[in-house]
Amino acid sequence: MTRICVFGAGAIGSHLATRAALGGAEVCVIARGPHLAAMKEHGITLHAADGVKTVKVQAAATAAEIGPVDAVLITTKVPALPVAAEAIGPLLGADTPVAFVTNGIPWWYFLRHGGAQEGRRLPLLDPGGVIERLVGIERTLGGVVYSASEVIAPGVVKSEHADIKLFLGEPDGSLSDRAKMIAGFIDAGGMPCPVVNDIRHRVWGKLMGNITSGPLCILSRSHMKATLADGAVFDAGVRIADEGAALARAYGFDLATSGESRMRRSADITHKPSILQDLELGRAMEIDALLTVPLLMAQEAGVAMPTFELVARLATQAATASGLYTPAGGM
């Protein structure tokens, strides 16, 4: 039986683990604390639009307890990726792929890019090149997930809505058998999982939601529906979304959606963005992948993002003051 390990089985990771198990994979998860203890005893219970489901998984605190698997999904937050890269060694067989299911600009963005900046590294996202050295671009798959999940009790995860999806793709744009293998289990488990040849396009699409909802909701301390109820904030959100679309175009991707239409969709969202959840729970915040690196890429490309820069810098100050982010300098 195909063994898939989810490293960092919090809300998103537990949701993906449940879908893979429902799809027929033998699923292992690495987690910690009460969530780990609950999964060891009772498995994972998922409350989703398609019902309540409970699956049994092999739950462990370390990769050494699990051993080599056929695929790894890393679903930790971006600041924890170097630690994850150091920890997953025992999971890796000769050909084990590693899918990084993360928010924001990924550490591998310019590797196997094929563009003018081919081979460029992003040290803010991979300090010291740890991830590239220990995992490597050869094993790497990109992942972009839409799930809106949260852990509501140890071993219990809730997915907020029916519009769930995981995109998987190779950094070089190929449609690989290994990506299709992982996708087959996730899809069979009830979450659509397209394998795409343009994973960076999906990265930009998700980032547009992150750069609007993240900083605005950090400042309001609420979800998007409440935040955007103020007309001036809604208008600021439109400007941020349009600025983000201009940045994506500068890097070769036309998102073909207006800022106003994005904000109108966001105006009904009552799920708090993950970066606000991290602030409220005292967890390290994904400031660099979601805010700092996009701003630096905008400066390099000559794209003006005045509204985004203002709210991003204020959100960064809030994260720094809370002790959940330490500025590290340039890219």
Side-chain angles (χ1 to χ4, degrees):
M1 180 178 285
T2 300
R3 300 181 77 215
I4 295 177
C5 182
V6 176
F7 188 98
I12 295 294
S14 295
H15 190 173
L16 295 180
T18 302
R19 297 297 178 180
L22 290 170
E26 180 181 327
V27 175
C28 319
V29 298
I30 295 177
R32 60 188 179 183
H35 192 50
L36 169 61
M39 289 190 291
K40 280 185 173 182
E41 186 170 357
H42 303 295
I44 304 171
T45 296
L46 170 67
H47 294 256
D50 56 343
V52 178
K53 308 164 191 303
T54 298
V55 297
K56 292 295 184 182
V57 296
Q58 179 187 356
T62 67
E65 298 172 60
I66 293 172
V69 296
D70 297 296
V72 178
L73 304 181
I74 294 184
T75 56
T76 63
K77 296 299 175 67
V78 171
L81 287 181
V83 173
E86 292 180 341
I88 66 170
L91 301 174
L92 303 180
D95 301 310
T96 305
V98 179
F100 289 87
V101 183
T102 56
N103 285 326
I105 300 296
W107 68 270
W108 50 263
Y109 186 88
F110 292 108
L111 303 182
R112 297 192 173 175
H113 179 266
Q117 299 190 64
E118 171 64 43
R120 177 184 177 183
R121 272 65 180 179
L122 297 172
L124 273 182
L125 305 178
D126 184 13
V130 170
I131 307 169
E132 185 179 0
R133 184 174 71 253
L134 297 179
V135 179
I137 191 62
E138 295 79 11
R139 294 185 186 272
T140 294
L141 294 171
V144 175
V145 67
Y146 292 86
S147 174
S149 300
E150 63 178 314
V151 176
I152 57 175
V156 183
V157 175
K158 181 180 179 182
S159 178
E160 290 285 333
H161 52 68
D163 187 17
I164 57 174
K165 190 171 290 186
L166 171 65
F167 293 99
L168 291 176
E170 294 280 353
D172 67 2
S174 60
L175 300 176
S176 66
D177 289 339
R178 63 187 191 174
K180 293 175 184 176
M181 178 269 289
I182 299 169
F185 290 108
I186 302 292
D187 195 82
M191 175 183 281
C193 189
V195 175
V196 298
N197 62 3
D198 59 350
I199 190 63
R200 290 175 183 81
H201 190 281
R202 314 300 171 162
V203 166
W204 284 108
K206 179 75 179 287
L207 183 64
M208 292 308 99
N210 294 141
I211 68 172
T212 51
S213 68
L216 290 176
C217 291
I218 286 171
L219 296 174
S220 71
R221 295 298 199 272
S222 189
H223 50 66
M224 283 294 271
K225 184 174 183 178
T227 302
L228 296 179
D230 184 303
V233 178
F234 181 94
D235 290 343
V238 171
R239 292 195 297 273
I240 294 168
D242 285 337
E243 292 168 3
L247 177 60
R249 285 195 298 273
Y251 283 86
F253 297 94
D254 186 353
L255 302 180
T257 306
S258 72
E260 183 170 356
S261 65
R262 283 184 177 274
M263 288 304 96
R264 292 203 181 283
R265 291 198 302 271
S266 297
D268 289 326
I269 295 175
T270 57
H271 176 79
K272 290 182 179 179
S274 61
I275 197 168
L276 175 57
Q277 293 183 44
D278 291 338
L279 175 61
E280 293 178 338
L281 294 171
R283 301 184 301 214
M285 296 170 66
E286 298 178 300
I287 296 294
D288 286 333
L290 297 180
L291 307 181
T292 312
V293 171
L295 271 178
L296 291 169
M297 290 174 71
Q299 291 167 6
E300 291 185 355
V303 176
M305 301 185 73
T307 309
F308 173 60
E309 182 170 4
L310 173 62
V311 297
R313 293 192 183 282
L314 288 171
T316 299
Q317 289 182 15
T320 303
S322 299
L324 303 177
Y325 170 70
T326 301
M331 283 199 293

